[in-house]
Amino acid sequence: MAELNLVEAVNHALAYEMANDESVLLLGEDIGVNGGVFRATNGLQARFGCERVIDTPLAEGAIAGVAVGMAAMGLKPVAEIQFTGFIYPTIDQMINHASRLRNRTRGRLTCPMVLRSPYGAGIHAPEHHSESPEAIFAHMPGLRVVIPSSPARAYGLLLAAMRDPDPVVFLEPTRLYRLFKQAVADDGESLPLDACFLSREGKDVTLVAWGAMMQETLAAADALEQEGVDAEVIDVATIKPLDVETILRSVEKTGRCVIIHEAPRTAGFGAEIAAEIAERALFSLLAPVKRVAAYDVVVPLSRLERQYIPSVDRIVEAVRSAMEGS
């Protein structure tokens, strides 16, 4: 079993599915000859040819639009947007066409496309390279929004996304691309979409996170253990549709919940999770639900980047506050 980092796992998943399904093809800026800005598609054009790994002009709206057309005609395009700061021109195609093709045609057509993009801060990138827009896409009916938190989950979830008959927005945490390696079996086994993963069991408080923030959240759980607090950690993985039942079961067990995400706090997806808990598990709570999020500002440049991303200390402090409730 190979030890892969997250971007290598993405590459392996793409290669596996292309080798086993001729309808899968890739398109995006610099993904062919150069193998993508992060090398996620490295070597795939040489292996599968220019007709299946297509270099496109610098036109994100056109990339998404072409992918919608390909999907409507029976292909399975995987479109890459270089950074999520440039993903906003795709919203027209995703909300007006990709997300509603099944409904518009009363089920005659589906849109089996994947829109991939690195996302999030933490690599000292320039402006427009570090955004976390998962809540925007989660608000669009008809789209799945998937965010892996490790190489193994990136491999299995991307395979599932490519096999899904409907459009999937697949956001890859840039900060994790080469942060660590993990044993990944390149066997074509997918992981379930629309399901949270229980990453750590505990009994005192539920920590809910996704993507790169799983790193700080698990580190916070380790730190809290030294203080005698047994934290349960849930990796949301699929933001939309949300596996709220797994979160509710955990909250009903622990009585406390802290939600952690890298996107701005206001109207972030943490607010949706907090609302679900308030509506359906209020009487299980021993303390108010806490949110630890980024600030409601534009993602800062590199010097202030670490102050923007929720830290282990901020998570631990939020849990301490939650533990004071009774």
Side-chain angles (χ1 to χ4, degrees):
M1 192 178 299
E3 293 281 328
L4 304 177
N5 60 36
L6 197 149
V7 74
E8 291 170 335
V10 168
N11 181 277
H12 279 57
L14 294 171
Y16 184 94
E17 201 64 5
M18 294 185 76
N20 289 276
D21 185 346
E22 291 187 351
S23 64
V24 176
L25 55 82
L26 315 182
L27 68 158
E29 300 157 5
D30 298 322
I31 68 164
V33 175
N34 291 332
V37 67
F38 288 104
R39 305 297 181 262
T41 54
N42 192 38
L44 298 183
Q45 190 179 69
R47 181 176 174 187
F48 296 103
C50 295
E51 292 187 349
R52 295 186 66 195
V53 182
I54 303 168
D55 276 319
T56 68
L58 192 68
E60 286 80 8
I63 293 170
V66 169
V68 171
M70 288 176 167
M73 297 306 295
L75 297 172
K76 297 178 181 176
V78 182
E80 177 179 302
I81 303 300
Q82 284 191 337
F83 293 93
T84 46
F86 307 121
I87 207 169
Y88 302 114
T90 73
I91 288 177
D92 175 28
Q93 295 295 336
M94 299 307 290
I95 194 170
N96 285 321
H97 301 293
S99 66
R100 61 183 67 198
L101 192 59
R102 179 186 287 277
N103 181 67
R104 175 177 291 155
T105 64
R106 302 299 184 262
R108 286 190 301 107
L109 296 177
T110 60
C111 191
M113 65 172 285
V114 178
L115 189 72
R116 292 183 44 243
S117 182
Y119 96 109
I123 62 166
H124 294 181
E127 189 186 12
H128 290 303
H129 290 66
S130 305
E131 279 71 7
S132 299
E134 63 265 32
I136 295 174
F137 287 102
H139 190 67
M140 300 179 188
L143 292 186
R144 276 194 167 75
V145 182
V146 180
I147 304 178
S149 64
S150 71
R153 287 179 188 165
Y155 179 86
L157 291 171
L158 182 54
L159 283 173
M162 288 187 284
R163 295 167 185 172
D164 194 274
D166 292 304
V168 177
V169 176
F170 196 85
L171 301 177
E172 299 159 7
T174 315
R175 187 153 52 98
L176 300 188
Y177 264 157
R178 291 178 171 81
L179 185 66
F180 65 96
K181 291 194 172 188
Q182 186 178 51
V184 179
D186 189 9
D187 56 4
E189 288 293 322
S190 62
L191 289 172
L193 299 176
D194 312 342
C196 294
F197 295 95
L198 182 59
S199 291
R200 174 184 173 128
E201 291 194 51
K203 59 179 176 57
D204 294 328
V205 61
T206 299
L207 307 184
V208 179
W210 51 89
M213 287 314 304
M214 284 294 294
Q215 294 298 304
E216 284 80 2
T217 302
L218 288 168
D222 289 340
L224 289 162
E225 188 174 29
Q226 304 304 312
E227 301 180 11
V229 177
D230 189 10
E232 183 151 293
V233 178
I234 291 176
D235 175 10
V236 175
T238 300
I239 298 296
K240 172 77 175 298
L242 176 66
D243 172 18
V244 69
E245 300 299 335
T246 295
I247 296 172
L248 293 179
R249 280 197 297 271
S250 178
V251 172
E252 287 165 358
K253 178 173 70 171
T254 65
R256 298 175 173 87
C257 184
V258 176
I259 305 161
I260 304 102
H261 61 70
E262 190 178 319
R265 175 185 173 94
T266 299
F269 199 73
E272 176 65 25
I273 296 173
E276 289 282 356
I277 294 170
E279 286 184 1
R280 300 174 61 182
L282 179 64
F283 296 111
S284 298
L285 289 173
L286 300 172
V289 174
K290 298 284 184 180
R291 286 179 287 161
V292 182
Y295 303 107
D296 290 341
V297 299
V298 173
V299 182
L301 298 179
S302 57
R303 186 174 292 181
L304 293 175
E305 204 171 34
R306 282 293 165 186
Q307 281 68 45
Y308 175 81
I309 298 170
S311 65
V312 173
D313 287 344
R314 285 181 61 196
I315 300 169
V316 168
E317 190 57 38
V319 172
R320 286 172 180 158
S321 176
M323 294 304 295
E324 290 174 357
S326 62

